[in-house]
Amino acid sequence: MNKIKIMSVFGTRPEAIKMAPLVKELEQRPEIEHFTCVTAQHREMLDMVLDIFEIKPKYDLNIMQNKQTLKDITINAINGLDDVLKKEKPDLVLVHGDTSTTFAGALTSYYNQIKIGHVEAGLRTYDKYQPFPEEMNRVLTSNLADLNFAPTSNSKQNLLKENIDPNSIFVTGNTVIDALKTTIEENYKFNLSALNDIDFNKKIISVTAHRRENLGEPLKNICNAIMDIVNKYKDVEIVYAVHLNPAVQNIVNEIMGNNPRVHLTEPLSLKDMHNLLSRSYLVLTDSGGLQEEVPSMGKPVLVLRNVTERPEGLAAGTLKLAGTDRENIFNMVSELMDDESEYTKMAAAKNPFGDGLASKRIADSILYYFGKKEIRPEDYV
C-alpha cells in the first residue's frame, strides 16, 4: 500500500502544543508516513514542548535570531522549507494557525505545488492589524490551503463567506483540548519550585500578556489594573508568567515587581502552565490558545484584547472581553470576585472549542481526502 507522505511544519510554542497531539495521532496511522520540520521561530519555548511530547523533528531549521523581524522570520523560513520540500516531496504539508511560520510553510508548499492542510483554519477578527500579523497570516493561508480543518462551525462559516470550497472544510474541534488529557495531573509537582510554595487555597489569578499590539501603554494599563486588584483583595495572589521579550519584562518588573503577593515567573513549561491554570481562580490573558484551553478547566477567562477571533467563547459565556483599559479590567475582575453567581455562570459554561477528539477527526479527514476512507468524517458540533 502506498502511504500518504505528510510533513508537519511549526515553529512556535503555541503551534507545537496544538500540533503535538496530531503528530502523535498521525504517527499511529499505518496508511501515513509522517515527519516533522520545525523552523524554531521560537527556540527555547518550542523545545520545552518537543521534550514533553517526545517529538524529534526530522528537520530543524533553527532560524531564530536575536532581535529578529517578521521579514527575517518569513524569509529564513521560506529558504529553509524550500530545501526540505524539494528533497522530501511530501504529498501534504500541515501548517497550524496563524504564525509567520504558518504562512511561510503554506506559501513555500504552494510554490512547490504541494497540497496544504491548514489546522485551526477560519479564525477571523476582520481587522488586519488585530492581531498583527496573525490575522493576515491566517487569511492568506486559507487562500492557499487545499484542506481546511476548522475547529468550530463558526470558523467554517467564516471560510464559506470567503468562497473557500466547502468540500475542503472539515469541522474537527481544536487539537489543544486533546493535549490537556496528557498534561494535567491531580497531584502534580511543579518543575518551577517557586510554584510549589504558592497557597492554592487562596484566589490565584494567572496572567499572560505579551502580544505586539499590547506592548507599551496597553501593557502598562494591564499591569496597573492588576495591582489595583491586589490592593483591593487581600486574599488574591497573582502568578504572571512573563514573556522573554524585554519590552514586556521591563514594564512588568517596573510596575509589578517587589510585591509579596505577585509572583513573576519565567515562561513556564507546558505542564507547569496547564497545572497552574487548572488550580487558578480565574485567568487574565491576551493569548489565543488559553481562550480555548482554560474553559475546559472550569475557570473564567477575561481576554486582555479589544477583539477576539474566538467569538464562540463569548457566545458560550466562557470568555469576556476586558480590553486594555485599566478601569474596565479592574471592574470586570471585581465583578467575578464579588458576584458568586456571575463567577459560577462563567466557570460552568460548556467549552465550545473541542471534546478531545480533534486529532482523530483530522487524521480521518486526511485519509478520506486521499481516498483511503470511503465515508467522510462527521463534523464536530
Side-chain angles (χ1 to χ4, degrees):
M1 179 179 66
N2 291 330
K3 292 190 175 188
I4 308 163
K5 189 174 185 179
I6 300 175
M7 180 173 89
S8 291
V9 177
F10 48 91
T12 68
R13 168 177 156 141
E15 289 171 279
I17 292 170
K18 293 182 173 186
M19 286 296 284
L22 179 55
V23 167
K24 292 300 183 183
E25 179 69 30
L26 294 174
E27 288 174 347
Q28 299 303 311
R29 297 298 181 109
E31 307 95 334
I32 291 171
E33 175 191 345
H34 177 269
F35 66 98
T36 300
C37 174
V38 296
T39 64
Q41 174 182 334
H42 294 169
R43 181 74 271 174
E44 293 176 39
M45 299 170 79
L46 170 70
D47 290 344
M48 293 178 190
V49 182
L50 296 176
D51 289 344
I52 288 169
F53 286 94
E54 298 180 343
I55 294 174
K56 293 180 171 57
K58 185 173 182 179
Y59 295 95
D60 187 334
L61 305 183
N62 197 29
I63 68 169
M64 184 172 173
Q65 301 173 349
N66 188 33
K67 297 182 180 179
Q68 63 188 359
T69 66
L70 293 173
K71 179 195 74 173
D72 295 332
I73 296 168
T74 306
I75 291 173
N76 291 332
I78 288 174
N79 285 336
L81 288 168
D82 191 60
D83 291 340
V84 174
L85 291 175
K86 283 180 165 53
K87 177 181 177 182
E88 291 284 352
K89 297 181 174 59
D91 300 304
L92 177 70
V93 170
L94 293 177
V95 296
H96 181 280
D98 54 21
T99 70
S100 297
T101 287
T102 306
F103 174 55
L107 184 62
T108 314
S109 300
Y110 168 71
Y111 285 161
N112 284 276
Q113 298 188 36
I114 294 169
K115 293 188 182 299
I116 302 152
H118 188 195
V119 180
E120 197 182 89
L123 278 64
R124 297 290 187 270
T125 65
Y126 298 105
D127 180 338
K128 68 180 181 180
Y129 291 111
Q130 293 198 75
F132 171 80
E134 289 84 359
E135 178 72 3
M136 288 312 298
N137 283 340
R138 54 186 168 231
V139 170
L140 295 166
T141 299
S142 293
N143 283 275
L144 294 168
D146 301 276
L147 286 164
N148 292 277
F149 303 111
T152 67
S153 57
N154 186 75
S155 301
K156 176 180 179 178
Q157 291 306 312
N158 290 341
L159 294 169
L160 292 174
K161 283 189 288 187
E162 296 169 14
N163 295 317
I164 302 298
D165 181 1
N167 292 320
S168 78
I169 305 170
F170 299 83
V171 182
T172 62
N174 198 299
T175 55
V176 76
I177 310 303
D178 304 14
L180 297 179
K181 294 184 290 187
T182 59
T183 56
I184 295 177
E185 301 173 10
E186 186 173 350
N187 298 311
Y188 183 73
K189 186 174 178 62
F190 290 97
N191 292 314
L192 186 66
S193 58
L195 295 179
N196 292 311
D197 297 330
I198 291 174
D199 182 0
F200 285 98
N201 292 316
K202 295 184 177 179
K203 291 181 176 176
I204 306 299
I205 299 178
S206 290
V207 181
T208 71
H210 66 269
R211 299 198 78 87
R212 282 183 181 86
E213 61 266 32
N214 280 347
L215 297 181
E217 207 60 34
L219 184 57
K220 291 179 182 178
N221 293 338
I222 290 167
C223 293
N224 282 314
I226 293 169
M227 295 312 299
D228 293 341
I229 292 294
V230 171
N231 293 329
K232 178 179 179 181
Y233 297 96
K234 302 307 178 187
D235 59 342
V236 161
E237 296 205 7
I238 305 296
V239 180
Y240 188 160
V242 187
H243 197 277
L244 298 174
N245 186 341
V248 177
Q249 295 260 345
N250 293 340
I251 291 173
V252 172
N253 285 309
E254 179 184 346
I255 297 174
M256 302 181 68
N258 303 316
N259 187 300
R261 289 192 288 124
V262 176
H263 309 276
L264 304 179
T265 78
E266 62 196 48
L268 300 178
S269 70
L270 177 61
K271 279 194 168 184
D272 272 7
M273 177 59 84
H274 280 175
N275 284 280
L276 168 64
L277 296 170
S278 71
R279 289 160 173 74
S280 297
Y281 185 72
L282 64 93
V283 176
L284 303 178
T285 186
D286 62 7
S287 161
L290 296 195
Q291 295 177 51
E292 300 155 346
E293 298 166 19
V294 176
S296 286
M297 306 173 194
K299 313 295 176 182
V301 180
L302 296 182
V303 183
L304 302 171
R305 293 165 59 180
N306 298 315
V307 294
T308 179
E309 58 277 55
R310 294 164 173 86
E312 301 90 341
L314 299 177
T318 61
L319 313 176
K320 284 187 177 180
L321 281 179
T324 59
D325 178 78
R326 178 176 179 174
E327 184 177 358
N328 193 54
I329 296 169
F330 175 79
N331 289 337
M332 292 183 74
V333 174
S334 295
E335 180 183 33
L336 291 173
M337 299 294 293
D338 297 336
D339 188 338
E340 188 174 339
S341 64
E342 187 63 27
Y343 178 90
T344 301
K345 186 166 69 172
M346 286 191 75
K350 177 182 178 291
N351 188 351
F353 294 110
D355 57 0
L357 298 173
S359 298
K360 181 180 184 303
R361 290 191 188 93
I362 292 171
D364 288 343
S365 300
I366 292 170
L367 294 180
Y368 171 77
Y369 178 82
F370 281 96
K372 304 289 187 182
K373 268 186 173 293
E374 293 184 8
I375 301 174
R376 181 186 174 100
E378 292 187 9
D379 283 351
Y380 166 71
V381 290

